[in-house]
Amino acid sequence: MLPFARVTIIGLGLIGSSIARAVRQHMPTVRLTGYDMDPAVRETAVRIELCDDVADSAGTAVIDADLVILCVPVGAMGAAAAELAADLPAEAIVSDVGSCKAMVIEAVATALPNAVFVPAHPVAGTENSGPEAGFATLFHHRWCIITPPEGTDALAIERVSEFWRRLGALVETMAPDHHDRVLAVTSHLPHLIAYTIVGTASDMEEVTQSEVIKYSAGGFRDFTRIAASDPTMWRDVFLANREAVLDMLQRFSEDLSALQRAIRWGKGDELFDLFTKTRAIRRSIIEQGQDDAAPDFGRSHE
Ligand code: NAP
């Protein structure tokens, strides 16, 4: 039996539209309703037939839903939840896809104190945004982390977990604070580093912008993919996960200083040992099916 029959997606960007497409593919009998604050996004969603219905308000969108998924930037979760509060059916389960959890849980609990909320984070994405950027296979063999606050109804957790499994995801459960620390190091810090490197390169005076772009195949371009990620989403992530990010950043700065020292004092062994360790990490990611083994990210060299 399907875990849900009537699913509403609030926020029809990359993640919301990917969920819609994946639901269509894997659970075609589910009635799908969508809503986005942006009228242009709603128009696009209608044109590309993303959902069965695209509602003009959050309230209308949720009126007969049994699952409501908030797919808006983390800083907008509280407002999005408050907008639908008056029309949310008592038996509906609310979930989300936010990239950090503790703050989202707090914001949703304030807006919807009586709702059953099962927070989730699909660890899958691209650098693109908007309803046309989504695709049905985005979650295939990617982890979706469910972070239920203590006391969350076990059946509700299982139904949301099953929903994600049906979309092709692997499901893991984690405490919200632990999630925020893990993601600070695996996702938020790498984004911060990429934003910094790309920013530094574009501010250099003695190396021109055109040279940075022309010779980017030396490594720079791999950072630009991450640094092209949505500015609103990432501003919100850093503000919402401030403590964990600052903590990881402190450790990173210390490690960077150690590397600086190793280079200054010509300690080649230290550099070699670290680079050997990091190479093994790349291999583990490939072995666990979390990236393709094709060299150079599968770029064509013809
Ligand atoms: P996106 O493509 O920018 O889509 C978000 C959509 O939500 C936009 O159309 C936005 O409209 C709309 N919106 C904002 N506030 C709203 C509100 N109060 N009510 C209804 N709609 C609202 O962003 P996304 O990449 O799908 O990210 C959505 C969520 O997924 C974020 O919480 C993010 O942390 C999480 N996530 C993202 C990724 C990723 O790689 N992108 C991966 C995993 C999880 P406007 O553009 O007009 O603001």
Side-chain angles (χ1 to χ4, degrees):
M1 209 178 88
L2 291 176
F4 299 99
R6 294 175 308 280
V7 174
T8 293
I9 300 170
I10 305 287
L12 300 173
L14 169 72
I15 301 295
S17 73
S18 294
I19 295 176
R21 288 174 170 96
V23 167
R24 275 272 163 82
Q25 183 176 323
H26 296 287
M27 293 178 272
T29 58
V30 163
R31 178 144 192 97
L32 257 183
T33 305
Y35 169 72
D36 194 286
M37 196 173 70
D38 185 343
V41 170
R42 296 203 295 270
E43 259 171 50
T44 305
V46 171
R47 178 173 51 77
I48 63 177
E49 298 178 2
L50 195 60
C51 306
D52 297 304
D53 288 309
V54 176
D56 285 334
S57 74
T60 324
V62 301
I63 212 127
D64 65 353
D66 56 8
L67 173 66
V68 176
I69 314 176
L70 305 173
C71 302
V72 303
V74 289
M77 290 287 180
E83 234 182 302
L84 55 83
D87 298 287
L88 185 71
E91 67 285 2
I93 291 174
V94 179
S95 187
D96 79 310
V97 294
S99 305
C100 33
K101 306 311 319 180
M103 212 197 97
V104 170
I105 290 170
E106 204 183 304
V108 174
T110 307
L112 302 171
N114 301 317
V116 179
F117 181 47
V118 181
H121 175 205
V123 187
T126 75
E127 64 277 30
N128 298 328
S129 316
E132 289 177 290
F135 51 99
T137 53
L138 178 64
F139 311 112
H140 279 190
H141 206 65
R142 294 288 166 263
W143 287 98
C144 180
I145 308 175
I146 312 274
T147 61
E150 261 176 58
T152 307
D153 177 63
L155 182 59
I157 298 172
E158 180 43 36
R159 286 174 72 194
V160 172
S161 303
E162 179 57 17
F163 176 81
W164 280 103
R165 279 186 220 110
R166 297 244 181 178
L167 302 191
L170 308 162
V171 174
E172 177 103 14
T173 304
M174 220 180 253
D177 287 343
H178 186 65
H179 165 281
D180 288 355
R181 290 186 66 73
V182 171
L183 271 291
V185 72
T186 58
S187 172
H188 309 167
L189 187 60
H191 276 78
L192 203 67
I193 294 167
Y195 283 126
T196 315
I197 290 176
V198 176
T200 305
S202 71
D203 284 347
M204 297 253 261
E205 279 153 14
E206 71 274 28
V207 178
T208 65
Q209 285 262 358
S210 65
E211 284 171 314
V212 167
I213 291 163
K214 186 170 167 186
Y215 301 115
S216 62
F220 180 70
R221 69 179 180 189
D222 292 339
F223 285 97
T224 61
R225 183 194 75 73
I226 298 181
S229 299
D230 191 75
T232 305
M233 170 186 158
W234 283 96
R235 175 204 60 198
D236 283 8
V237 166
F238 291 120
L239 297 181
N241 201 19
R242 183 192 328 236
E243 297 305 324
V245 168
L246 289 177
D247 190 18
M248 295 305 163
L249 201 54
Q250 176 65 31
R251 286 167 191 238
F252 175 72
S253 308
E254 286 164 17
D255 291 345
L256 201 58
S257 300
L259 268 187
Q260 213 175 345
R261 254 197 324 275
I263 294 170
R264 173 163 298 125
W265 300 113
K267 295 194 169 170
D269 289 354
E270 267 179 44
L271 299 177
F272 186 85
D273 288 350
L274 175 68
F275 303 163
T276 306
K277 219 162 78 183
T278 55
R279 194 173 223 195
I281 289 177
R282 170 81 191 151
R283 289 205 190 104
S284 315
I285 291 171
I286 292 164
E287 274 161 26
Q288 290 188 27
Q290 293 304 305
D291 203 357
D292 205 285
D296 199 17
F297 297 132
R299 289 181 182 110
S300 151
H301 289 274
E302 282 169 23

